[in-house]
Amino acid sequence: MSPISRLTPSRWMEAISSTSARLVSNGPIRVAVIGCGAVAQTAHLPLLRRLNDFSIVGIADTDPAMLAACAPIAKRARQTADYRELLTPWMADAVVICLPTALHAEAAKAAFEGGLHVYLEKPIATEIADVPPLLDAWKASRRVGMIGHNYRFNSLYVKLKQMISTGRIGTPRDARMAFTTPVSGAGSWRDSRADGGGALLDLGTHEIDLAR
């Protein structure tokens, strides 16, 4: 998925503007957010609300409590328990998918097939077999897709890459990385191999992506 991985958040917006079926000059890019958990509440929705280039038109979650938690952030957005109701160009131009990992591929595939641009939280899926159909849908859609490897845009890693590229620190032979995350006493879908992939997929994907 290399064409996806080369996009920065600002270039993602520019790419959407250039490929959207409607003229972006008619208004801000309409975005629906699928999955209203912690990352949507603390990152995606607050950021989208601050940017004048975007309008949050829909939010979806099967948990009414999660929808209620996001409602104050996206006051004018349509709320639904079925994200498929939002996957139409009449409703939105793009979608941000922050569901449990096991649901990523299915939702992203449906979004591409619905004619929407997609920002998909990492990793793509918990099972390799789910990836080829998603890639096929992306290629057929001629829409923009981006995977949420946000650490590659961190200024520290950008500088490190520049130093490696210019030969300032030589050729790396080994790398040691550590990522941590708060642990909930009640547990999380992230801990489950079936739902979230466990630590390797949930956190290790960042390290593998940066090493590449």
Side-chain angles (χ1 to χ4, degrees), residues 101-186:
T101 305
L103 304 177
H104 281 187
E106 179 183 358
K109 179 175 179 289
F112 282 128
E113 291 174 344
L116 275 65
H117 305 281
V118 175
Y119 181 100
L120 178 63
E121 270 292 346
K122 58 79 203 166
I124 297 176
T126 55
E127 302 293 338
I128 270 294
D130 295 334
V131 178
L134 169 56
L135 294 179
D136 290 341
W138 164 59
K139 293 174 183 177
S141 73
R142 302 183 66 82
R143 288 294 181 261
V144 176
M146 183 175 182
I147 306 302
H149 288 297
N150 55 298
Y151 280 100
R152 62 170 60 185
F153 306 115
N154 183 287
S155 59
L156 293 175
Y157 296 115
V158 170
K159 181 63 176 179
L160 176 60
K161 184 177 180 181
Q162 291 174 348
M163 295 172 70
I164 294 173
S165 299
T166 58
R168 183 175 176 183
I169 61 174
T171 301
R173 300 298 183 186
D174 191 22
R176 181 179 179 181
M177 306 181 195
F179 278 71
T180 60
T181 185
V183 177
S184 170

Side-chain angles (χ1 to χ4, degrees), residues 49-108:
R49 187 175 66 173
R50 290 199 302 268
L51 298 174
N52 294 329
D53 298 301
F54 297 94
S55 173
I56 306 170
V57 296
I59 55 176
D61 202 290
T62 55
D63 187 340
M66 294 295 101
L67 280 174
C70 289
I73 311 174
K75 296 181 180 179
R76 298 182 180 180
R78 176 179 176 179
Q79 300 180 30
T80 178
D82 185 356
Y83 67 77
R84 293 170 182 80
E85 295 179 4
L86 306 177
L87 302 184
T88 166
W90 298 106
M91 183 69 197
D93 301 304
V95 63
V96 174
I97 299 175
C98 12
L99 293 165
T101 305
L103 304 177
H104 281 187
E106 179 183 358

Side-chain angles (χ1 to χ4, degrees), residues 99-104 125-126 188-198:
L99 293 165
T101 305
L103 304 177
H104 281 187
T126 55
S188 167
W189 55 263
R190 298 176 186 276
D191 304 329
S192 165
R193 172 63 182 86
D195 296 331

